[in-house]
Amino acid sequence: RAEAADGWRARLAAAAEGGHTLVLSSEAFQNCADFAALRALCRDHYVEAVCYLREYLDYALSAYAQEVKKVGLYAGFFEFERGFDPQLGRFVARWEEFANRCHWRLYDRTLLAEGDVVQDFLATAGLPDFGGDRFQSENPRLGGSLLGFKLMANGAGLHSLRLARALEPLAAARSDFRAPWRIEPGRQAQLRAGRNYNAALEGLVGEVRLADAATGTLPFESPGFAADLTGIVAALEGFPALRAHPLFAVCQEAGPCPIPP
């Protein structure tokens, strides 16, 4: 472990040589538990942390979709949410103790600089615009019928990261394949009332605009789900075990996938 840490410090030093600012970016930092190792890695540097935080329900819906997609979760959203309790105060305290300075930003496109998270990050970090094309998300969340398909695949024991990646172009092609789980307004308020997350978030970033999932979709909604399922399975030619499974074999005689290229 010490040798690995020394190797990472050497890489960090080489990357920083001749430069002014070194940017390390990863969603994995949200799960960092070993700050001693991170302190050792960054011991020769002044550290500023820039973190984008979602409103509670938006965060829960996004985390749920990612668990279904990347981890193979087989459960409905409300079952997942009962165990979802991000400890924002503890998270903030750990990073405030570690970094020389922290910037807490609300992930709300209407409030980001120029509506763009990259531009907002550059402005927050005091860095010049490097130009070039903006990053396009390669990790869209699953929603609607595509989420329903992945839940079925997970329940059938067919989850894999390869399958998760294969669903990303399908999600990118249709907005309803990225929509959050639909929740009526009264239930949204009930879910938020059960957590103190948004109150802590407002203490960091000021007023928080609440996400609205009332216009979302459900994973097995009729009448579109059957046709969507057929198209999804037709698009997954490289997964013979999935296509041969009794749950999905019935879909193989259908026409072309109704998902635009």
Side-chain angles (χ1 to χ4, degrees):
R1 186 173 179 177
E3 292 179 359
D6 288 341
W8 275 106
R9 278 195 295 272
R11 292 183 188 182
L12 207 63
E17 186 176 357
H20 175 271
T21 302
L22 185 66
V23 176
L24 300 178
S25 178
S26 173
E27 286 187 351
F29 282 127
Q30 69 179 311
N31 298 318
C32 180
D34 189 354
F35 277 84
L38 199 56
R39 287 189 189 93
L41 177 65
C42 300
R43 66 189 179 193
D44 298 324
H45 302 274
Y46 178 88
V47 178
E48 291 194 42
V50 180
C51 180
Y52 289 84
L53 301 165
R54 293 178 181 268
E55 184 271 330
Y56 173 71
L57 191 56
D58 185 36
Y59 183 19
L61 288 163
S62 178
Y64 167 72
Q66 286 296 94
E67 290 285 306
V68 173
K69 175 183 175 182
K70 293 289 186 69
V71 184
L73 176 70
Y74 181 54
F77 170 71
F78 298 110
E79 180 182 351
F80 167 82
E81 193 276 338
R82 283 195 292 272
F84 182 73
D85 188 13
Q87 300 292 316
L88 183 57
R90 182 184 302 174
F91 173 85
V92 168
R94 286 174 175 173
W95 282 98
E96 291 277 5
E97 181 182 358
F98 162 72
N100 298 97
R101 184 181 181 187
C102 289
H103 304 268
W104 304 106
R105 302 288 294 159
L106 182 65
Y107 189 75
D108 180 339
R109 292 186 183 278
T110 66
L111 300 177
L112 299 178
E114 300 182 24
D116 175 57
V117 69
V118 174
Q119 192 64 40
D120 192 88
F121 168 77
L122 294 173
T124 301
L127 299 174
D129 191 338
F130 53 81
D133 295 333
R134 282 289 179 258
F135 169 78
Q136 297 298 315
S137 175
E138 297 178 354
N139 186 29
R141 72 170 154 196
L142 305 185
S145 297
L146 196 58
L147 178 66
F149 162 79
K150 188 58 169 57
L151 283 168
M152 290 174 64
N154 293 351
L158 297 169
H159 165 71
S160 70
L161 289 178
R162 178 171 167 260
L163 176 59
R165 288 191 290 268
L167 299 181
E168 291 172 355
L170 280 67
R174 279 179 48 174
S175 60
D176 60 318
F177 280 2
R178 303 187 301 274
W181 188 293
R182 186 168 69 242
I183 307 172
E184 57 90 14
R187 189 67 186 277
Q188 292 184 49
Q190 184 183 49
L191 293 174
R192 290 187 174 102
R195 299 283 186 263
N196 64 0
Y197 182 96
N198 277 356
L201 181 59
E202 287 185 346
L204 289 172
V205 303
E207 184 178 357
V208 173
R209 186 173 67 109
L210 301 182
D212 185 8
T215 58
T217 61
L218 295 176
F220 303 107
E221 197 156 25
S222 296
F225 177 71
D228 288 342
L229 180 61
T230 295
I232 292 165
V233 173
L236 298 173
E237 295 182 358
F239 294 84
L242 182 147
R243 291 161 63 88
H245 193 281
L247 275 175
F248 305 113
V250 70
C251 300
Q252 295 184 50
E253 296 182 2
C257 175
I259 300 170

